[in-house]
Amino acid sequence: MTQGPGEVVVTGVGLALPGADTPDALLRRTACPVTGPAAEPFDTAARIGRRGHRYKDRATRLALCAALDALRNARLIPSDGEEVTVPGDTVGVVASSNLGNLDTACLTAAAIAERSAVDLSPMSLPNASSNVIASWVAIRHGLRGPNLMLCNGATSGLDAVHWGAALVAAGRVRRAVVIGVETHNAVVEDLLGRPADELLDGAAALVVEGARWAEARGARATAALGPYERRAGLSGCVEALLPGGAAPGVWFTPERYAEGPAGARAGADGPAGAVPLPQSVPRYDVTSAVGRASGALGVLQCAAAIGWLARAEAGTDAETGAGQQAAGPEAGPAAGAGSGTGFGAGPGAAPGPVPVSVPASRQALITSGDDTADAVAGLLLRPTPDRCHPHPPRAPLSAMECSR
């Protein structure tokens, strides 16, 4: 039987975004959104080559790019190869996309209605499957663990991170690739009623892994996953994650979250309500940098939060413009800009589920959805265990241990 994985950590991050190829770059773009002409679309051919493009839609190609980047960052794939260096059945895949292959599905249905199924290409038809993104990532890299595809609305990206971690914690796999991807096209623009320049065309990926397995292969973790909550409202979700009114070091807000000048939430998205965190907590909205992200949002937020944690370790957050909210007509005033208070273990240390060795002010709070959505998901991302306290010596892996 598989021994417990210990804490679940992030050992790899991959991005396929225009103008942001690292978590730090994504954080900078979020803090100071670029004005002027939009960046050129991400060139998937430069990363995955011709073979990666054959008979695949753009959302799948973007996901393949981000997954390859994350697997290489986690040292699970060599820089000159594509096959994982660990047993394939120890790696699972969880992908999130609400709209990724919507164009293929709609165009396929239209072709059948207008002509007949005989006119469809047998090579392109598999792209209409709802799980095509997760499946191609697994096929490309020989990942034989559980394979999941989530299409779960505003919370889908954070839900995917949670289910990837759940697979690891349950012993189904030792590690999982979690991918969030969306793209824009005529079908998506028509459905959402928004122009292409307001929508994400990109992907992010994480490798979540049991701390035990990461240590055994000498991998460096960049963050540790804290508790995850899914509630009907934003305030209830935040209170469950940070009981006792503790304030995190930073808040990655829901998409285009707006706050009134008096601290009450108001706007076209729903009724006014109490803001769940003090105005002194810096806010980031990653969609101000990359566009409305739908099912990819939670994974992108985690990637940006990893950039914030790295800066927190270096003590440079006060120099990055942290605390600026999203630009745009729905954004409220900046809160806590340049305060640099995200890393001190002040009075915000939370009781209960937050360890004493990781004060709340050193943690990143990530939320997706709002009080008008069906649900709100929240996750705490923490500094890696070795940055908080030394690990006790671990016994070597047993030859009798299950490969998973």
Side-chain angles (χ1 to χ4, degrees):
M1 183 174 182
T2 302
Q3 298 182 27
E7 196 159 13
V8 179
V9 297
V10 179
T11 53
V13 183
L15 295 172
L17 298 169
D21 56 358
T22 65
D24 184 66
L26 176 58
L27 186 71
R28 288 200 308 270
R29 281 180 59 95
T30 303
C32 302
V34 178
T35 58
E40 290 295 317
F42 183 83
D43 182 8
T44 57
R47 187 171 296 173
I48 58 176
R50 283 181 172 270
R51 177 172 165 242
H53 282 68
R54 195 167 177 81
Y55 306 121
K56 298 177 181 67
D57 60 20
R58 179 155 177 83
T60 299
R61 298 196 303 266
L62 286 165
L64 286 168
C65 289
L68 178 62
D69 196 24
L71 287 165
R72 284 180 174 165
N73 185 241
R75 297 197 302 169
L76 290 168
I77 288 181
S79 60
D80 58 350
E82 293 182 0
E83 292 293 318
V84 289
T85 55
V86 297
D89 60 355
T90 68
V91 190
V93 179
V94 184
S96 169
S97 183
N98 293 323
L99 307 164
N101 69 335
L102 182 65
D103 57 334
T104 303
C106 290
L107 294 174
T108 298
I112 294 174
E114 294 173 6
R115 299 183 295 276
S116 75
V118 176
D119 292 336
L120 299 176
S121 166
M123 304 308 295
S124 62
L125 190 57
N127 292 331
S129 172
S130 60
N131 69 333
V132 64
I133 295 171
S135 298
W136 268 122
V137 170
I139 292 168
R140 179 79 177 240
H141 301 296
L143 312 180
R144 301 189 300 276
N147 189 275
L148 305 176
M149 184 74 206
L150 273 67
C151 308
N152 205 29
T155 66
S156 191
L158 276 187
D159 294 338
V161 176
H162 165 67
W163 284 109
L167 289 172
V168 174
R172 292 292 305 277
V173 288
R174 294 187 175 184
R175 51 200 65 91
V177 184
V178 181
I179 307 148
V181 59
E182 297 289 3
T183 186
H184 54 67
N185 48 60
V187 176
V188 172
E189 293 167 36
D190 183 63
L191 175 69
L192 299 182
R194 296 183 182 278
D197 58 5
E198 291 186 17
L199 304 175
L200 170 70
D201 178 56
L206 310 173
V207 174
V208 296
E209 186 168 6
R212 170 180 170 80
W213 315 128
E215 289 176 0
R217 64 184 187 86
R220 179 182 179 273
T222 57
L225 298 183
Y228 160 91
E229 287 287 340
R230 187 176 170 84
R231 298 293 177 100
L234 182 59
S235 294
C237 183
V238 171
E239 289 169 3
L241 290 168
L242 293 165
V250 67
W251 179 22
F252 289 85
T253 68
E255 187 171 82
R256 308 301 165 98
Y257 180 78
E259 295 175 326
R265 181 179 181 277
D269 289 339
V275 175
L277 291 172
Q279 291 289 333
S280 59
V281 176
R283 275 94 155 132
Y284 285 107
D285 178 358
V286 298
T287 67
S288 65
V290 300
R292 293 179 179 270
S294 191
L297 176 59
V299 188
L300 284 164
Q301 288 173 313
C302 287
I306 287 168
W308 181 86
L309 288 170
R311 291 190 173 192
E313 182 185 23
T316 59
D317 187 70
E319 302 171 8
T320 68
Q324 296 181 2
Q325 290 188 331
E330 296 178 356
S339 62
T341 60
F343 320 120
V354 181
V356 174
S357 57
V358 189
S361 58
R362 295 190 62 211
Q363 300 182 79
L365 171 66
I366 302 168
T367 55
S368 295
D370 58 35
D371 292 337
T372 67
D374 292 335
V376 177
L379 175 72
L380 287 179
L381 213 59
R382 299 167 170 165
T384 50
D386 58 318
R387 294 177 190 167
C388 305
H389 54 80
H391 284 293
R394 294 191 181 275
L397 297 177
S398 168
M400 296 296 292
E401 191 172 4
C402 171
S403 63
R404 291 186 182 84

